[in-house]
Amino acid sequence: MFEEIQFEKINRLPKYIFAEINELKMEARRAGEDIIDFSMGNPDAPTPQPIIDKLCETAMKPKTHGYSASKGIYKLRLAMANWYKRKYGVELDPNKEVVATMGSKEGYVHLVQAISNPGDVAIVPDPTYPIHSQAFILAGANVEKMELIFDEETFEVDEDRFLSDVEQALDNSLPKAKFLVVNFPHNPSTATVTPEFYTRLVALAKEKRFYIISDIAYADITFDGYTTPSIMEVEGAKDVAVESYTLSKSYNMAGWRVGFIVGNQKLIGALQNIKSWLDYGMFTPIQVAATVALDEHGYIPDEQIIPLYEKRRDVMIDAFSNAGWPLAKPNASMFIWAKIPEIARDMGSLEFAKQLLIQAGVAVSPGIGFGKYGDEYVRIALIENEKRIRQAAKNIKKFLKEVEKEKSING
């Protein structure tokens, strides 16, 4: 009898491709092998000390140990509003236009749960961070994919093509799409856009009547003079858009789970409502410490964070290129979106990632896990130190020579 019971929501989810790499990685480590792990965007540097100190100080007060506010304490929501004011010149009402969430991922999923009806359609560029699509699937909605086109050398999005493709996707979707997800700097591709892109996108959303969900998780990690724009800078953006931000990357606070959704009052109200049913908010000392991060450090992350990723990016590009794997230089995020070396490209990203792990002891994320248009790439996270990056390059050089040797033998 119980075997006949189906969990249709879970059955709609695809196989989690990254699990195969994770299993191989764990097996290798259990066998005592040294794995140089670039597979997950998990910051390895410490959280700034003032934030830790405030957490410890607040946790010593018994009154902070009870239930908190599901939408976040007022001072934290105000700190987020002030962050937008300083960084982007945007005014936000901390009561009606800001929600603090348990990481931006939780906030995004609960937002989608709150605003999606069964059968609704969301347009999501491909490749994409998986939850951007799967949140809609879990909510009983559907996803219309469109290929994300960008310059493979500069990682600049082809903005004319993007907007044209959105219009085409709107025409193709039945029923007509209600939502569009954008994520720049992009995960996994690191692609970026200009402020003008958002001006045009907001105008299109008003004309075609759809909501925009923007994710700027990597807004603060930029290089070579690039500055991340926010859709909230556009006049009238709050009529059609919300935006998510997280402290995970900017402040090395990934495990703290502190994020925000801001913008359109109707969508924010729906998120506040559903969260009031589902949770009691983050542990109050974490929220107080996050307030310190936003208020005292301003909108510029710890001075060591951006130089750290920039140096690792440059070292990796140099070392991997010398090893026979040329990489293009991104100008944002903590990743490199690396096209598989030509000699091994026919493997596809999953098999390439598996063989790289088995034969070279280097773990990366296969691009196919982010969507069908990612299969010629792997995502490399800049989370190992420079010495480990150079060692990985040596291992990769040997691996690629073995691949070339095997191909020459097999004709």
Side-chain angles (χ1 to χ4, degrees):
M1 174 185 174
F2 286 104
E3 288 76 10
E4 297 174 359
I5 297 174
Q6 297 294 316
F7 304 116
E8 295 302 333
K9 184 177 290 186
I10 298 301
N11 289 341
R12 292 188 72 198
L13 291 173
K15 182 180 179 182
Y16 191 64
I17 291 174
F18 303 119
E20 292 191 48
I21 300 300
N22 291 337
E23 288 170 10
L24 285 173
K25 187 168 60 179
M26 292 303 104
E27 286 176 11
R29 283 178 170 158
R30 283 193 292 268
E33 297 178 29
D34 178 31
I35 301 300
I36 303 173
D37 192 358
F38 302 116
S39 63
M40 186 176 180
N42 191 10
D44 63 315
T47 304
Q49 194 61 43
I51 303 171
I52 298 172
D53 291 344
K54 179 56 71 170
L55 170 71
C56 296
E57 174 193 327
T58 311
M60 293 301 292
K61 301 175 181 178
K63 67 179 183 180
T64 64
H65 292 193
Y67 294 127
S68 190
S70 61
K71 64 181 180 181
I73 61 175
Y74 176 75
K75 285 188 176 180
L76 179 56
R77 287 181 279 116
L78 179 61
M80 185 76 265
N82 288 338
W83 182 89
Y84 264 92
K85 178 66 175 176
R86 288 193 307 271
K87 187 174 178 76
Y88 293 118
V90 173
E91 297 280 357
L92 292 170
D93 183 332
N95 288 317
K96 297 179 180 179
E97 296 175 338
V98 180
V99 180
T101 61
M102 298 176 188
S104 59
K105 189 174 183 180
E106 174 271 318
Y108 178 86
V109 172
H110 280 158
L111 173 69
V112 171
Q113 290 282 338
I115 65 179
S116 296
N117 301 318
D120 279 354
V121 177
I123 301 169
V124 181
D126 184 327
T128 189
Y129 182 53
I131 199 62
H132 286 160
S133 290
Q134 302 315 322
F136 287 98
I137 302 301
L138 287 167
N142 298 310
V143 173
E144 177 82 17
K145 291 290 188 71
M146 56 173 255
E147 183 179 4
L148 178 64
I149 306 295
F150 56 90
D151 187 299
E152 293 189 358
E153 291 298 321
T154 65
F155 294 99
E156 295 172 351
V157 170
D158 184 336
E159 297 178 4
D160 290 336
R161 173 70 181 272
F162 187 99
L163 294 165
S164 174
D165 286 349
V166 169
E167 290 198 65
Q168 185 175 346
L170 287 165
D171 292 339
N172 291 342
S173 64
L174 289 173
K176 182 183 172 184
K178 288 184 179 179
F179 310 104
L180 168 70
V181 178
V182 292
N183 165 217
F184 301 111
H186 187 252
N187 181 9
S189 76
T190 79
T192 57
V193 294
T194 65
E196 175 63 20
F197 169 78
Y198 287 126
T199 300
R200 297 170 65 190
L201 186 60
V202 167
L204 182 63
K206 290 186 175 186
E207 177 190 348
K208 300 292 186 178
R209 299 182 63 82
F210 62 86
Y211 284 114
I212 303 162
I213 304 174
S214 169
D215 176 2
I216 57 167
Y218 299 91
D220 290 322
I221 304 176
T222 60
F223 318 112
D224 306 325
Y226 178 75
T227 300
T228 299
S230 164
I231 196 169
M232 291 297 138
E233 293 177 281
V234 179
E235 185 176 353
K238 287 190 281 188
D239 295 334
V240 294
V242 291
E243 189 161 73
S244 65
Y245 175 74
T246 174
L247 273 62
S248 294
K249 318 302 181 184
S250 302
Y251 300 95
N252 290 330
M253 292 173 65
W256 295 57
R257 310 313 302 133
V258 184
F260 302 89
I261 309 284
V262 308
N264 179 269
Q265 288 190 21
K266 184 176 181 180
L267 301 190
I268 294 299
L271 177 56
Q272 289 178 343
N273 196 331
I274 199 170
K275 282 180 66 65
S276 71
W277 285 96
L278 295 174
D279 70 68
Y280 289 107
M282 291 171 277
F283 184 42
T284 298
I286 288 178
Q287 297 192 58
V288 174
T291 302
V292 167
L294 290 167
D295 280 345
E296 295 190 9
H297 289 262
Y299 65 84
I300 301 174
D302 183 275
E303 292 182 359
Q304 295 178 356
I305 292 175
I306 291 175
L308 174 73
Y309 288 127
E310 186 172 26
K311 185 63 184 294
R312 289 178 179 180
R313 177 200 65 172
D314 294 345
V315 168
M316 180 174 287
I317 288 171
D318 181 62
F320 280 36
S321 296
N322 289 335
W325 189 356
L327 306 175
K329 182 184 288 189
N331 60 5
S333 90
M334 58 184 291
F335 304 111
I336 289 180
W337 187 235
K339 200 157 196 176
I340 298 170
E342 190 172 353
I343 190 70
R345 201 166 295 160
D346 60 346
M347 291 184 186
S349 61
L350 180 57
E351 185 61 25
F352 175 77
K354 289 162 78 172
Q355 293 305 318
L356 191 66
L357 178 58
I358 293 167
Q359 298 186 44
V362 176
V364 297
S365 294
I368 190 65
F370 301 98
K372 69 177 182 178
Y373 293 111
D375 201 22
E376 289 190 345
Y377 299 82
V378 294
R379 192 193 70 178
I380 308 173
L382 300 171
I383 55 170
E384 293 272 16
N385 64 41
E386 295 165 34
K387 181 179 179 181
R388 300 277 284 171
I389 290 171
R390 293 189 175 95
Q391 181 59 53
K394 292 178 182 177
N395 297 359
I396 288 167
K397 186 174 184 178
K398 292 178 184 177
F399 167 67
L400 293 177
K401 285 184 176 180
E402 286 300 315
V403 172
E404 185 175 15
K405 180 179 176 181
E406 184 177 338
K407 287 203 169 186
S408 67
I409 292 172
N410 295 332

